[in-house]
Amino acid sequence: MCGIFAITSNRRNNIGETLVECAEKLTYRGYDTVGCATVYKNKIHLRKDKGKFDIVATKLRLSEMRGSKGIAQLRWATFGAPSKLNAQPHLDCDEDLCAAHNGNILNFLPLREQYTHEGHTVRSMNDGEICVHAIERYYDQLGDMVEAIQKGCNDLKGDYAFAVMHRDDDKVYAVKMGSSLFAGIGKGETCVSSDLPSILPITREILNIHDGELVILSPTTIEIRRISDGQLVERKPYTSDADIRVAQKGGYPHFMLKEIHEQVSSTRTLFSAIREPYISQFVGSLINANRVFFVACGSSYHAAVVGSYYFNELANVAVIPVIGGQFISHYGDAVRKGDVVVCVSQSGETKDVIDVVHHCRNRDVKILSIINVLGSTLTHLSDLYLPLGSGFEISVPATKTYTSQVTLFNYLAALSGQKREVLESTRAEEIITDLKTHLPALIEETISTNTIKARALAPYLSKYSHFYVLGYGITHGVALEGALKIKEVCYIVADGMYSSEFKHGPLSIVEEGYPIVFTIAPKDSEHLVNHLAEVECRGARIIITGEDHPLLRRYVKDDDFFLIPESNQYLSPILQAIPLQLMAYHLATYKNIDPDYPRNISKTLTVR
Ligand code: BG6
């Protein structure tokens, strides 16, 4: 995924400062390369290079760029290595146009050959450059930017959003075709961006842009037109109440630690974000479905795995959790009318999930979603969605949104069990009361109990380039998530797996002192004793997250026992991830890795 931000103003002529202030908030969308282009005295000025935003902005003095309009781009590399040449924005042949995109242009190689054959100077191996040449090709013929963009988009295949500007006018043009794009209306200036946090320093007056739309920005107006026929689209702006401070660290050294602590409040705001009648409609669709699939990627997939256990245990509903990129090949021909697919996506932009929606649309399958970012592509594509209400999650590794997803699944499963009369109403109410009232304090206690232990364990874990995180039953998804956190921010191959499987092969890795992390649900403590014994007798160093239990204490030193407070058994899987998040965070910082922006990855992947 990448991030684009573009602005045109009649009240600023040092637009570089604004580009830096706003685009910096998109760092989590890509930090392989950065570039800014401005128009000053009818000439395009372009500065770009490899590296993270703050470093490149300082090195190239981006904030000093003059002009009243500009485009910034932050890149997560797909086509073309992270280099200055492949950095965006890109110029057309004669340096009259400049454009930057997010997404991927699937037919970029054949178009590159065609345009080069037609005499274009295509300088890079980055698919984004093709956008500016596609527009230039028609602009040179037609002399009209709107028509040129309409025709240029017809040539481009793939999912993308781009911004483009000409050096001779005060306009910026932008297109949404499968990747996220929002517009903002300020005083004497208008802007577009891949994400809201970068618009809020300019304005809270937001315009949602839908796929297939072209946005024409002038300093005082925004026009939306359908790309297919140029038809004007009337749409009212809304005032965003998003809290921009969420996009600041608030005194924490990293967003990741801040967002771990924010789990106390975000599990609370979840219940004010979801509303009736949508909750009942969501539950109704689930319990009346022929089959239910939870489709997601990364941390959201792990939340879906935990959710599938909740639905089995509380509602006796069999749910199939599926990795986004796997769904079409695994279930694409079998899925049909009457099935329900629940897409779980923090960003609402993950391409591997969006592709499933398009596939299921053609098979008349109902699409429900659980989403954090409102206005995202998935919010437009779903029949019904429930918002997480977690606020901006800036750190690339998901923490608070994962925990809110698991909490929501617990809640929906209890409601479903109650509705299906397989869960005693009083028991369902107990579970729901625990979620809405006791969970925040239990999260706070879990964080405070385990922070020092997590920091103390880091030196030992840092000696290993690989180890295992084992879960059983409802904590299987927790083990997968804990392992992913460690992979993402510590560059260690932490393998999350089902603990009963460990003896069927992986056990061979164990030698004296080898670390094995177990995440154990209260009701499984006795069952796990033999899994603990198998590795302990071979010299492993056992680390446990779970509620206190005398049987477990026989296998683990106090410093390695990451205790979670006693609670009803269904809150435990929510709490279990927190010590693992803290372990990953403190191990990363011990290894001098920035946990917010780990190398090579990005917050949302809008490419398949
Ligand atoms: C990955 C992120 O790119 O996408 C993960 O690094 C995230 O943190 C995964 O869990 C899925 O993203 P989303 O937005 O669909 O939940």
Side-chain angles (χ1 to χ4, degrees), residues 582-598:
L582 291 167
M583 265 183 231
Y585 172 77
H586 288 290
L587 181 51
T589 50
Y590 181 80
K591 295 181 73 171
N592 292 320
I593 294 169
D594 179 347
D596 290 334
Y597 309 116

Side-chain angles (χ1 to χ4, degrees), residues 297-300 344-347 350 396 398 488 602-605:
C297 298
S299 299
S300 298
V344 188
S345 175
Q346 184 284 126
S347 63
T350 296
V396 168
E488 279 179 309
S602 160
K603 185 67 185 168
T604 310
L605 291 175

Side-chain angles (χ1 to χ4, degrees), residues 364-467:
D364 214 2
V365 171
K366 178 169 262 189
I367 300 290
L368 307 182
S369 292
I370 292 173
I371 304 168
N372 189 42
V373 177
L374 300 186
S376 58
T377 300
L378 196 53
T379 54
H380 303 316
L381 294 178
S382 304
D383 293 307
L384 176 63
Y385 71 85
L386 292 178
L388 281 182
S390 298
F392 296 123
E393 185 173 63
I394 305 297
S395 191
V396 168
T399 47
K400 63 176 181 175
T401 53
Y402 161 84
T403 296
S404 288
Q405 288 164 343
V406 176
T407 303
L408 180 53
F409 279 127
N410 188 345
Y411 178 62
L412 294 171
L415 290 175
S416 303
Q418 189 178 33
K419 195 89 181 148
R420 299 188 74 235
E421 298 180 353
V422 295
L423 179 67
E424 271 293 305
S425 223
T426 47
R427 179 68 178 131
E429 289 311 325
E430 242 175 57
I431 291 168
I432 291 168
T433 303
D434 277 354
L435 286 170
K436 291 186 172 180
T437 52
H438 303 146
L439 179 60
L442 292 169
I443 290 176
E444 193 142 36
E445 185 181 343
T446 305
I447 293 171
S448 58
T449 313
N450 292 291
T451 293
I452 293 171
K453 281 185 181 175
R455 196 182 293 127
L457 187 63
Y460 158 71
L461 290 180
S462 69
K463 291 188 296 203
Y464 289 86
S465 60
H466 57 81
F467 55 85

Side-chain angles (χ1 to χ4, degrees), residues 83-99:
S83 68
K84 179 172 181 175
L85 183 66
N86 289 325
Q88 301 199 49
H90 291 288
L91 296 169
D92 70 339
C93 306
D94 312 326
E95 304 195 6
D96 300 323
L97 293 166
C98 178

Side-chain angles (χ1 to χ4, degrees), residues 102-275:
N102 166 37
N104 54 356
I105 309 298
L106 297 174
N107 61 337
F108 115 84
L109 283 174
L111 284 183
R112 191 178 196 283
E113 274 161 40
Q114 177 192 334
Y115 294 167
T116 306
H117 181 69
E118 290 173 354
H120 284 256
T121 310
V122 185
R123 302 176 184 86
S124 77
M125 283 309 291
N126 172 246
D127 59 328
E129 184 179 354
I130 287 308
C131 298
V132 74
H133 292 291
I135 296 160
E136 172 187 29
R137 192 161 175 266
Y138 294 103
Y139 185 75
D140 290 352
Q141 290 168 27
L142 305 165
D144 176 275
M145 277 298 280
V146 173
E147 276 188 75
I149 291 168
Q150 284 178 280
K151 289 185 176 304
C153 286
N154 285 336
D155 286 359
L156 302 172
K157 302 282 173 271
D159 289 289
Y160 57 87
F162 66 69
V164 60
M165 61 186 182
H166 193 286
R167 65 190 177 89
D168 284 343
D169 63 28
D170 65 352
K171 291 189 171 53
V172 169
Y173 305 81
V175 157
K176 182 180 186 329
M177 198 68 94
S179 291
S180 63
L181 191 73
F182 298 87
I185 307 164
K187 288 187 177 46
E189 54 199 7
T190 58
C191 60
V192 284
S193 177
S194 304
D195 246 340
L196 268 183
S198 59
I199 293 180
L200 295 179
I202 301 292
T203 177
R204 289 184 171 279
E205 289 309 296
I206 306 299
L207 259 179
N208 272 336
I209 310 302
H210 294 180
D211 284 334
E213 293 179 346
L214 160 62
V215 194
I216 303 156
L217 305 174
S218 79
T220 53
T221 61
I222 292 185
E223 213 178 271
I224 304 175
R225 290 184 178 277
R226 268 204 306 258
I227 292 168
S228 54
D229 57 11
Q231 181 72 36
L232 212 51
V233 174
E234 291 302 324
R235 188 165 300 138
K236 290 212 174 317
Y238 67 90
T239 304
S240 166
D241 59 2
D243 180 353
I244 184 66
R245 281 171 303 139
V246 176
Q248 267 92 42
K249 291 179 187 166
Y252 287 91
H254 298 101
F255 283 112
M256 183 176 177
L257 188 61
K258 175 172 175 263
E259 287 154 7
I260 288 171
H261 285 262
E262 275 180 348
Q263 292 175 126
V264 178
S265 55
S266 52
T267 44
R268 198 179 287 127
T269 49
L270 165 69
F271 290 104
S272 44
I274 53 176
R275 299 258 163 78

